[in-house]
Coordinates of all heavy atoms in Angstrom, one line a residue:
M1 N 105.3 107.4 81.7 CA 103.9 107.2 81.1 C 103.9 106.0 80.2 O 102.8 105.5 80.0 CB 103.5 108.5 80.4 CG 103.3 109.7 81.3 SD 103.0 111.2 80.4 CE 101.3 110.9 79.8
S2 N 105.1 105.5 79.8 CA 105.1 104.3 78.9 C 106.1 103.3 79.4 O 106.4 102.4 78.6 CB 105.4 104.7 77.5 OG 106.7 105.3 77.5
C3 N 106.5 103.4 80.6 CA 107.5 102.4 81.2 C 107.0 101.9 82.5 O 106.4 100.9 82.6 CB 108.9 103.0 81.2 SG 110.1 101.9 81.9
G4 N 107.5 102.5 83.6 CA 107.1 102.1 85.0 C 108.0 101.0 85.5 O 107.7 100.6 86.7
A5 N 109.0 100.6 84.8 CA 109.9 99.5 85.3 C 110.5 99.9 86.7 O 110.6 99.0 87.5 CB 110.9 99.2 84.3
C6 N 111.0 101.1 86.8 CA 111.6 101.4 88.1 C 110.7 101.4 89.3 O 111.1 101.2 90.4 CB 112.3 102.8 88.0 SG 111.3 104.2 87.6
C7 N 109.4 101.6 89.0 CA 108.4 101.6 90.1 C 108.0 100.2 90.5 O 107.3 99.9 91.4 CB 107.1 102.3 89.6 SG 107.4 104.0 88.9
A8 N 108.6 99.2 89.8 CA 108.3 97.8 90.0 C 109.6 97.0 90.0 O 109.7 95.8 89.5 CB 107.3 97.2 89.0
S9 N 110.7 97.6 90.6 CA 112.0 96.9 90.6 C 112.8 97.1 91.9 O 113.6 96.2 92.2 CB 112.9 97.4 89.5 OG 112.3 97.0 88.2
F10 N 112.5 98.1 92.6 CA 113.3 98.5 93.8 C 112.5 98.8 95.0 O 111.3 99.2 94.8 CB 114.2 99.7 93.5 CG 115.0 99.6 92.2 CD1 114.7 100.3 91.1 CD2 116.1 98.7 92.1 CE1 115.4 100.2 89.9 CE2 116.8 98.6 91.0 CZ 116.5 99.4 89.8
R11 N 113.1 98.7 96.2 CA 112.4 99.2 97.3 C 112.6 100.8 97.3 O 113.7 101.3 97.2 CB 113.0 98.7 98.6 CG 112.2 99.1 99.9 CD 112.8 98.6 101.1 NE 113.9 99.3 101.6 CZ 114.6 99.0 102.7 NH1 114.3 98.0 103.4 NH2 115.6 99.8 103.0
V12 N 111.5 101.5 97.3 CA 111.4 102.9 97.2 C 111.3 103.5 98.7 O 110.2 103.6 99.2 CB 110.3 103.4 96.4 CG1 110.3 104.9 96.3 CG2 110.3 102.8 95.0
S13 N 112.5 103.7 99.3 CA 112.5 104.1 100.7 C 113.0 105.5 100.9 O 113.7 106.0 100.0 CB 113.3 103.1 101.5 OG 114.7 103.0 101.0
F14 N 112.6 106.1 101.9 CA 112.8 107.6 102.1 C 112.7 107.9 103.6 O 112.1 107.1 104.4 CB 111.9 108.4 101.3 CG 110.5 107.9 101.3 CD1 109.6 108.3 102.4 CD2 110.0 107.0 100.3 CE1 108.3 107.8 102.4 CE2 108.7 106.6 100.4 CZ 107.9 106.9 101.4
Y15 N 113.2 109.0 104.0 CA 113.1 109.5 105.4 C 111.6 109.5 105.8 O 110.8 110.1 105.0 CB 113.8 110.8 105.6 CG 113.7 111.3 107.0 CD1 114.3 110.6 108.0 CD2 113.2 112.6 107.3 CE1 114.3 111.1 109.3 CE2 113.1 113.1 108.6 CZ 113.7 112.3 109.6 OH 113.7 112.8 110.9
W16 N 111.2 109.0 106.9 CA 109.8 108.8 107.3 C 109.0 110.1 107.1 O 107.8 110.0 106.8 CB 109.7 108.3 108.7 CG 110.1 109.3 109.7 CD1 111.3 109.4 110.3 CD2 109.2 110.2 110.4 NE1 111.4 110.4 111.2 CE2 110.1 111.0 111.3 CE3 107.9 110.6 110.3 CZ2 109.6 112.0 112.0 CZ3 107.4 111.6 111.0 CH2 108.2 112.3 111.9
A17 N 109.6 111.2 107.4 CA 108.8 112.5 107.4 C 108.2 112.8 106.0 O 107.2 113.5 105.9 CB 109.6 113.6 107.9
E18 N 108.8 112.3 104.9 CA 108.3 112.5 103.6 C 106.9 111.8 103.4 O 106.1 112.2 102.6 CB 109.2 111.9 102.5 CG 110.5 112.7 102.3 CD 111.3 112.3 101.1 OE1 110.7 112.2 100.0 OE2 112.5 112.0 101.2
A19 N 106.7 110.8 104.2 CA 105.4 110.0 104.1 C 104.2 110.9 104.5 O 103.1 110.5 104.1 CB 105.5 108.8 104.9
S20 N 104.4 112.0 105.2 CA 103.3 112.8 105.6 C 102.6 113.4 104.5 O 101.4 113.8 104.6 CB 103.8 113.9 106.6 OG 104.7 114.7 105.9
D21 N 103.2 113.5 103.3 CA 102.6 114.0 102.1 C 101.8 113.0 101.3 O 101.1 113.3 100.3 CB 103.6 114.6 101.1 CG 104.4 115.8 101.7 OD1 103.8 116.5 102.6 OD2 105.5 116.1 101.3
L22 N 101.8 111.7 101.8 CA 101.2 110.6 101.0 C 100.1 109.9 101.8 O 100.2 109.9 103.1 CB 102.3 109.6 100.7 CG 103.4 110.1 99.8 CD1 104.7 109.2 99.9 CD2 102.9 110.0 98.3
P23 N 99.2 109.3 101.2 CA 98.1 108.6 101.9 C 98.7 107.5 102.7 O 99.7 106.8 102.2 CB 97.2 108.0 100.7 CG 97.5 108.9 99.6 CD 99.0 109.3 99.7
D24 N 98.2 107.2 103.9 CA 98.8 106.2 104.8 C 98.8 104.8 104.2 O 99.8 104.1 104.3 CB 98.0 106.1 106.1 CG 98.1 107.3 107.0 OD1 99.1 108.1 106.8 OD2 97.3 107.5 107.9
A25 N 97.8 104.5 103.4 CA 97.7 103.2 102.8 C 98.8 103.0 101.7 O 99.0 101.8 101.3 CB 96.3 103.0 102.1
L26 N 99.5 104.0 101.3 CA 100.5 103.9 100.2 C 101.9 103.8 100.8 O 102.8 103.8 100.0 CB 100.3 105.0 99.2 CG 99.1 104.9 98.3 CD1 99.1 106.0 97.3 CD2 99.0 103.6 97.6
T27 N 102.1 103.9 102.1 CA 103.4 103.8 102.7 C 103.5 102.7 103.7 O 102.5 102.3 104.3 CB 103.9 105.2 103.2 OG1 103.1 105.5 104.4 CG2 103.8 106.3 102.2
E28 N 104.7 102.3 104.0 CA 105.0 101.3 105.0 C 106.2 101.8 105.8 O 107.2 102.3 105.2 CB 105.3 99.9 104.4 CG 104.3 99.3 103.6 CD 104.7 98.0 102.9 OE1 105.8 97.5 103.2 OE2 104.0 97.5 102.0
R29 N 106.2 101.6 107.1 CA 107.4 101.9 107.9 C 108.3 100.7 107.8 O 107.9 99.6 108.1 CB 106.9 102.2 109.3 CG 108.0 103.0 110.2 CD 108.1 104.4 109.7 NE 108.9 105.2 110.6 CZ 108.5 106.1 111.5 NH1 107.2 106.3 111.5 NH2 109.3 106.7 112.3
V30 N 109.6 101.0 107.5 CA 110.6 99.9 107.4 C 111.6 99.9 108.5 O 112.3 99.0 108.8 CB 111.3 99.8 106.1 CG1 110.3 99.4 105.0 CG2 111.9 101.1 105.7
S31 N 111.7 101.1 109.2 CA 112.6 101.2 110.3 C 112.2 102.5 111.1 O 111.3 103.2 110.6 CB 114.1 101.3 109.8 OG 114.3 102.6 109.4
P32 N 112.8 102.7 112.3 CA 112.5 104.0 113.0 C 112.7 105.2 112.1 O 112.0 106.2 112.3 CB 113.4 104.0 114.2 CG 113.7 102.5 114.4 CD 113.8 101.9 113.0
L33 N 113.6 105.2 111.2 CA 113.9 106.4 110.4 C 113.3 106.4 109.0 O 113.2 107.4 108.3 CB 115.4 106.7 110.4 CG 116.1 107.1 111.7 CD1 117.6 107.2 111.4 CD2 115.5 108.3 112.2
Y34 N 113.0 105.2 108.5 CA 112.6 105.1 107.1 C 111.3 104.5 106.8 O 110.9 103.6 107.5 CB 113.7 104.3 106.3 CG 115.0 105.1 106.1 CD1 116.0 105.0 107.0 CD2 115.1 106.0 105.1 CE1 117.2 105.7 106.9 CE2 116.3 106.7 104.9 CZ 117.3 106.6 105.8 OH 118.5 107.3 105.7
S35 N 110.6 105.0 105.8 CA 109.4 104.4 105.3 C 109.7 104.0 103.8 O 110.7 104.4 103.3 CB 108.3 105.4 105.4 OG 107.9 105.6 106.7
C36 N 108.7 103.3 103.3 CA 108.9 103.0 101.8 C 107.5 103.1 101.2 O 106.5 103.0 101.9 CB 109.6 101.7 101.6 SG 108.5 100.2 101.9
M37 N 107.5 103.1 99.9 CA 106.2 103.0 99.2 C 105.6 101.6 99.4 O 106.4 100.6 99.2 CB 106.3 103.4 97.7 CG 106.7 104.8 97.4 SD 105.5 106.0 98.1 CE 104.0 105.6 97.2
A38 N 104.4 101.5 99.7 CA 103.7 100.2 99.9 C 103.9 99.3 98.6 O 103.8 99.9 97.5 CB 102.2 100.4 100.2
G39 N 104.2 98.1 98.8 CA 104.4 97.2 97.7 C 105.8 97.1 97.2 O 106.1 96.2 96.4
T40 N 106.7 98.0 97.6 CA 108.1 97.9 97.1 C 109.0 97.2 98.0 O 110.1 96.9 97.7 CB 108.6 99.4 96.8 OG1 108.8 100.1 98.1 CG2 107.7 100.1 95.9
H41 N 108.6 96.9 99.3 CA 109.4 96.1 100.2 C 109.1 94.6 100.0 O 108.5 94.0 100.9 CB 109.2 96.6 101.6 CG 110.1 96.1 102.6 ND1 111.5 96.0 102.4 CD2 109.9 95.5 103.9 CE1 112.1 95.5 103.5 NE2 111.1 95.2 104.4
S42 N 109.5 94.1 98.9 CA 109.1 92.8 98.5 C 110.1 92.2 97.5 O 110.8 93.0 96.8 CB 107.7 92.9 97.8 OG 107.4 91.7 97.0
K43 N 110.1 90.9 97.4 CA 111.0 90.3 96.4 C 110.5 90.6 94.9 O 111.3 90.5 94.0 CB 111.1 88.7 96.6 CG 112.0 88.4 97.7 CD 112.2 86.9 97.8 CE 113.1 86.6 99.0 NZ 113.2 85.1 99.2
A44 N 109.2 90.8 94.8 CA 108.6 91.2 93.5 C 108.0 92.6 93.7 O 106.8 92.7 93.8 CB 107.6 90.2 93.1
P45 N 108.8 93.6 93.8 CA 108.3 94.9 94.2 C 107.4 95.5 93.1 O 107.6 95.3 91.9 CB 109.5 95.8 94.4 CG 110.6 95.1 93.7 CD 110.3 93.6 93.6
R46 N 106.3 96.2 93.6 CA 105.5 97.0 92.6 C 104.9 98.0 93.5 O 104.1 97.7 94.4 CB 104.5 96.2 91.9 CG 103.7 97.1 91.0 CD 102.5 96.4 90.3 NE 101.7 97.4 89.7 CZ 101.5 97.6 88.4 NH1 102.1 96.8 87.5 NH2 100.7 98.6 87.9
C47 N 105.1 99.3 93.2 CA 104.6 100.3 94.1 C 103.0 100.4 94.0 O 102.5 100.3 92.9 CB 105.1 101.7 93.6 SG 104.5 103.1 94.5
A48 N 102.4 100.5 95.1 CA 101.0 100.5 95.2 C 100.4 101.8 94.5 O 99.2 101.8 94.1 CB 100.5 100.5 96.6
A49 N 101.2 102.8 94.2 CA 100.7 104.0 93.6 C 100.8 103.9 92.1 O 100.3 104.7 91.4 CB 101.5 105.2 94.1
L50 N 101.4 102.8 91.6 CA 101.6 102.7 90.1 C 100.3 102.1 89.5 O 99.8 101.1 89.9 CB 102.8 101.8 89.8 CG 103.1 101.6 88.3 CD1 103.5 102.9 87.7 CD2 104.1 100.5 88.1
Q51 N 99.8 102.8 88.5 CA 98.6 102.4 87.8 C 99.1 102.0 86.3 O 99.9 102.6 85.8 CB 97.6 103.5 87.7 CG 97.1 103.9 89.1 CD 96.2 105.2 89.0 OE1 96.3 106.0 88.1 NE2 95.3 105.3 90.0
G52 N 98.4 100.9 85.8 CA 98.7 100.5 84.5 C 99.6 99.3 84.4 O 99.9 98.6 85.3
E53 N 100.1 99.1 83.2 CA 100.9 97.9 82.8 C 102.3 98.3 82.5 O 102.5 99.2 81.7 CB 100.2 97.2 81.6 CG 100.9 95.9 81.2 CD 100.2 95.2 80.0 OE1 99.1 95.6 79.7 OE2 100.9 94.4 79.4
I54 N 103.3 97.6 83.2 CA 104.7 97.9 83.0 C 105.0 97.8 81.5 O 104.6 96.8 80.8 CB 105.6 96.9 83.7 CG1 105.2 96.9 85.2 CG2 107.0 97.3 83.5 CD1 105.4 98.2 85.9
G55 N 105.6 98.8 80.9 CA 106.0 98.8 79.5 C 104.8 99.2 78.6 O 105.0 99.3 77.4
G56 N 103.7 99.5 79.2 CA 102.5 100.0 78.4 C 102.2 101.4 78.9 O 103.1 102.2 79.0
A57 N 100.9 101.6 79.1 CA 100.5 102.9 79.6 C 100.4 102.9 81.1 O 99.7 102.1 81.7 CB 99.1 103.3 79.1
V58 N 101.3 103.7 81.8 CA 101.4 103.7 83.2 C 101.2 105.1 83.7 O 101.4 106.1 83.0 CB 102.7 103.1 83.7 CG1 102.7 101.6 83.5 CG2 103.9 103.8 83.1
A59 N 100.9 105.2 85.0 CA 100.9 106.5 85.6 C 101.1 106.4 87.1 O 100.8 105.4 87.7 CB 99.5 107.2 85.4
C60 N 101.7 107.4 87.7 CA 101.9 107.5 89.2 C 100.7 108.2 89.7 O 100.4 109.3 89.4 CB 103.2 108.2 89.5 SG 103.3 108.5 91.3
S61 N 99.9 107.5 90.6 CA 98.7 108.2 91.2 C 99.0 109.2 92.2 O 98.1 109.9 92.6 CB 97.8 107.1 91.8 OG 98.4 106.5 92.9
V62 N 100.3 109.4 92.6 CA 100.7 110.4 93.6 C 101.8 111.2 93.0 O 102.7 111.7 93.7 CB 101.0 109.8 94.9 CG1 99.8 109.2 95.6 CG2 102.2 108.8 94.8
Y63 N 101.8 111.4 91.7 CA 102.9 112.1 91.1 C 103.4 113.4 91.7 O 104.6 113.6 92.0 CB 102.6 112.3 89.6 CG 103.8 112.8 88.8 CD1 104.8 111.9 88.4 CD2 104.0 114.1 88.5 CE1 105.9 112.3 87.7 CE2 105.1 114.6 87.8 CZ 106.0 113.7 87.4 OH 107.1 114.1 86.7
A64 N 102.5 114.2 92.1 CA 102.8 115.5 92.7 C 103.4 115.4 94.0 O 104.2 116.2 94.5 CB 101.6 116.4 92.7
Q65 N 103.1 114.2 94.7 CA 103.6 114.0 96.1 C 104.6 112.9 96.2 O 105.0 112.5 97.2 CB 102.4 113.6 97.0 CG 101.4 114.7 97.3 CD 100.4 114.7 96.2 OE1 100.0 113.7 95.6 NE2 99.9 115.9 95.9
R66 N 105.1 112.4 95.0 CA 106.0 111.3 95.0 C 107.3 111.6 95.9 O 107.7 112.8 95.9 CB 106.4 110.9 93.6 CG 107.3 111.9 92.8 CD 107.2 111.6 91.3 NE 108.2 112.4 90.6 CZ 108.0 113.7 90.3 NH1 107.0 114.4 90.8 NH2 108.9 114.4 89.6
P67 N 107.9 110.6 96.5 CA 109.0 110.9 97.4 C 110.3 111.1 96.6 O 110.4 110.9 95.4 CB 109.1 109.6 98.2 CG 108.5 108.6 97.4 CD 107.4 109.2 96.6
S68 N 111.3 111.5 97.4 CA 112.6 112.0 96.7 C 113.2 110.9 95.9 O 113.7 111.3 94.8 CB 113.5 112.4 97.8 OG 113.7 111.4 98.8
P69 N 113.2 109.6 96.2 CA 113.9 108.7 95.3 C 113.2 108.7 93.9 O 113.9 108.5 92.9 CB 113.7 107.3 95.9 CG 113.4 107.6 97.3 CD 112.7 108.9 97.4
C70 N 111.9 108.9 93.8 CA 111.3 108.9 92.5 C 111.6 110.2 91.8 O 111.7 110.2 90.5 CB 109.8 108.9 92.8 SG 109.2 107.5 93.8
R71 N 111.9 111.3 92.5 CA 112.3 112.5 91.8 C 113.7 112.5 91.3 O 114.1 113.3 90.4 CB 112.1 113.7 92.8 CG 110.7 113.9 93.2 CD 110.5 115.0 94.3 NE 109.2 115.0 94.7 CZ 108.2 115.8 94.2 NH1 108.5 116.5 93.1 NH2 107.0 115.8 94.6
E72 N 114.5 111.6 91.8 CA 115.9 111.5 91.5 C 116.2 110.5 90.4 O 117.4 110.5 89.9 CB 116.7 111.2 92.7 CG 116.7 112.3 93.8 CD 117.2 111.8 95.2 OE1 117.6 110.6 95.3 OE2 117.1 112.6 96.1
V73 N 115.2 109.8 89.9 CA 115.4 108.9 88.8 C 115.9 109.6 87.5 O 115.3 110.7 87.2 CB 114.1 108.1 88.5 CG1 114.2 107.3 87.2 CG2 113.8 107.2 89.7
V74 N 116.9 109.1 86.9 CA 117.4 109.6 85.6 C 117.2 108.6 84.6 O 117.7 107.5 84.6 CB 118.9 110.0 85.7 CG1 119.4 110.5 84.4 CG2 119.1 111.0 86.8
A75 N 116.3 108.9 83.6 CA 116.0 107.9 82.5 C 117.3 107.6 81.8 O 118.1 108.5 81.4 CB 115.0 108.5 81.6
G76 N 117.5 106.3 81.7 CA 118.7 105.8 80.9 C 119.9 105.5 81.8 O 120.9 105.1 81.3
D77 N 119.8 105.8 83.1 CA 121.0 105.5 84.0 C 121.1 104.0 84.3 O 120.2 103.2 83.8 CB 121.0 106.4 85.2 CG 120.0 106.0 86.3 OD1 119.3 105.0 86.1 OD2 119.9 106.7 87.3
A78 N 122.1 103.6 85.0 CA 122.3 102.2 85.2 C 121.1 101.5 85.9 O 120.7 100.4 85.6 CB 123.5 102.0 86.1
K79 N 120.5 102.2 86.9 CA 119.3 101.6 87.6 C 118.1 101.5 86.7 O 117.3 100.6 86.7 CB 119.0 102.4 88.9 CG 120.0 102.1 90.0 CD 119.5 102.6 91.3 CE 119.7 101.6 92.4 NZ 119.1 102.0 93.6
C80 N 117.9 102.5 85.9 CA 116.8 102.5 84.9 C 117.0 101.3 84.0 O 116.1 100.5 83.7 CB 116.9 103.8 84.1 SG 115.9 103.8 82.6
L81 N 118.2 101.1 83.4 CA 118.4 100.0 82.5 C 118.3 98.7 83.2 O 117.7 97.7 82.6 CB 119.8 100.2 81.9 CG 120.0 101.4 81.0 CD1 121.5 101.5 80.5 CD2 119.0 101.5 79.9
A82 N 118.7 98.6 84.4 CA 118.5 97.3 85.1 C 117.0 97.0 85.4 O 116.6 95.9 85.2 CB 119.3 97.4 86.5
A83 N 116.3 98.0 85.7 CA 114.8 97.8 85.9 C 114.2 97.4 84.6 O 113.3 96.5 84.6 CB 114.2 99.1 86.4
R84 N 114.5 98.1 83.5 CA 113.9 97.7 82.2 C 114.3 96.3 81.8 O 113.4 95.5 81.3 CB 114.3 98.7 81.1 CG 113.6 100.1 81.3 CD 114.0 101.1 80.2 NE 113.6 100.6 78.9 CZ 112.3 100.8 78.4 NH1 111.4 101.4 79.1 NH2 112.0 100.4 77.2
Q85 N 115.5 95.9 82.0 CA 116.0 94.5 81.7 C 115.2 93.5 82.6 O 114.7 92.5 82.1 CB 117.4 94.4 82.0 CG 118.0 93.0 81.6 CD 119.5 93.0 81.8 OE1 120.1 93.5 82.7 NE2 120.2 92.3 80.9
R86 N 115.0 93.9 83.8 CA 114.2 93.0 84.7 C 112.8 92.7 84.2 O 112.2 91.6 84.4 CB 114.1 93.7 86.1 CG 113.2 92.9 87.1 CD 113.1 93.8 88.4 NE 112.2 93.2 89.4 CZ 112.6 92.6 90.5 NH1 113.9 92.6 90.7 NH2 111.8 92.0 91.3
H87 N 112.3 93.6 83.5 CA 110.9 93.5 82.9 C 110.9 93.2 81.5 O 109.9 93.2 80.8 CB 110.1 94.8 83.2 CG 109.7 94.9 84.7 ND1 108.7 94.3 85.2 CD2 110.4 95.6 85.6 CE1 108.6 94.6 86.5 NE2 109.7 95.4 86.8
G88 N 112.1 92.8 80.9 CA 112.2 92.4 79.6 C 112.0 93.5 78.5 O 111.5 93.2 77.4
L89 N 112.3 94.7 79.0 CA 112.1 95.9 78.1 C 113.5 96.2 77.5 O 114.5 96.1 78.1 CB 111.5 97.1 78.8 CG 110.1 96.8 79.4 CD1 109.8 98.0 80.4 CD2 109.1 96.7 78.3
P90 N 113.5 96.7 76.2 CA 114.8 97.1 75.6 C 115.4 98.3 76.3 O 114.7 99.1 76.9 CB 114.4 97.4 74.2 CG 112.9 97.7 74.2 CD 112.3 96.9 75.4
Ligands
SF4_101 S1 105.4 106.8 94.0 FE1 104.9 107.0 91.8 S2 106.9 107.4 90.8 FE2 107.4 106.6 92.9 S3 107.6 104.3 92.7 FE3 105.4 104.8 93.2 S4 104.4 104.9 91.2 FE4 106.6 105.1 90.8

């Protein structure tokens, strides 16, 4: 709710069947087996479901349906810290 850095740092990919819980416009197919959140398959990734300003007030517009990578994020782990650093956050 006050960060969002991880939603704008990595490709958020998952087994394609998980996409059935999400609006079509918010996912992209990246291979026969995998899909990703729209906007995250990019050199400057930002999930299309993320609302708000990184490091300010943010929200996931599909929080209840978010895919498994989003559910596995652990605040303060190495990827979290790398994402925050990427966005100039402490
Ligand atoms: S689906 Fe939600 S939690 Fe997952 S990357 Fe997108 S905005 Fe973040």
Side-chain angles (χ1 to χ4, degrees):
M1 295 175 72
S2 60
C3 180
C6 59
C7 308
S9 295
F10 307 110
R11 188 177 78 182
V12 181
S13 57
F14 43 84
Y15 182 59
W16 69 269
E18 287 190 51
S20 63
D21 294 337
L22 294 159
D24 288 345
L26 291 181
T27 66
E28 298 173 12
R29 197 72 172 252
V30 292
S31 78
L33 291 179
Y34 287 92
S35 292
C36 73
M37 291 305 296
T40 68
H41 189 44
S42 161
K43 284 187 177 173
R46 181 184 167 115
C47 180
L50 182 66
Q51 299 174 331
E53 184 181 340
I54 307 297
V58 293
C60 171
S61 64
V62 292
Y63 188 78
Q65 294 84 32
R66 70 198 188 284
S68 54
C70 309
R71 296 173 185 274
E72 292 164 3
V73 168
V74 177
D77 73 5
K79 285 194 136 184
C80 164
L81 297 178
R84 288 182 63 83
Q85 185 175 36
R86 177 188 176 104
H87 289 278
L89 299 169

